[in-house]
Amino acid sequence: MTRLFVVNVLLGIPGIIYFWMLYMYVSQGPMISLGAESLAHNVEGYFSSTLVLGPPLAIGAIVWVLVNVHLVSRRKRSGACQNATGKTAHWLTALGSTLVPPMVLLSVAAIF
């Protein structure tokens, strides 16, 4: 379980960029249709936000899923993750530990 936590925290460090890109996409794209023109930064253009943000987000998600599938298979071979409860706990721990670096960054940013 320690390896799971460490690996996902390390994946969460570059994940800060992915969370920021998702925030920018969600806050600027749908908000324009709700009437918040002040947030608009030319979202629809030659390089639309879906075209620019899609591939990096997809690559990051694929790497995260593949690493965690490998960790589940390692835990299954060692006997630690035999039932569905163990797999669910693994994925919840993976998601939670991936969110640690962005939450620490947001906490530090809120303090200063």
Side-chain angles (χ1 to χ4, degrees):
M1 205 62 140
T2 304
R3 178 179 286 146
L4 169 69
F5 182 75
V6 170
V7 167
N8 281 294
V9 166
L10 290 175
L11 284 173
I13 293 170
I16 293 170
I17 297 167
Y18 297 123
F19 292 126
W20 174 74
M21 288 179 0
L22 280 173
Y23 166 75
M24 294 303 286
Y25 179 71
V26 169
S27 69
Q28 291 180 4
M31 294 299 282
I32 292 171
S33 64
L34 295 175
E37 286 86 13
S38 63
L39 295 175
H41 295 290
N42 195 9
V43 173
E44 299 300 325
Y46 183 70
F47 292 110
S48 69
S49 56
T50 307
L51 180 67
V52 173
L53 298 178
L57 290 173
I59 290 169
I62 289 169
V63 167
W64 184 81
V65 167
L66 289 176
V67 165
N68 282 296
V69 165
H70 176 69
L71 289 173
V72 166
S73 67
R74 283 181 60 106
R75 290 186 68 216
K76 191 185 299 184
R77 283 192 302 257
S78 69
C81 191
Q82 294 297 330
N83 55 8
T85 306
K87 292 176 186 172
T88 304
H90 169 88
W91 286 102
L92 289 175
T93 304
L95 181 63
S97 59
T98 304
L99 293 175
V100 167
M103 292 303 132
V104 168
L105 182 69
L106 286 174
S107 301
V108 169
I111 291 171
F112 296 110

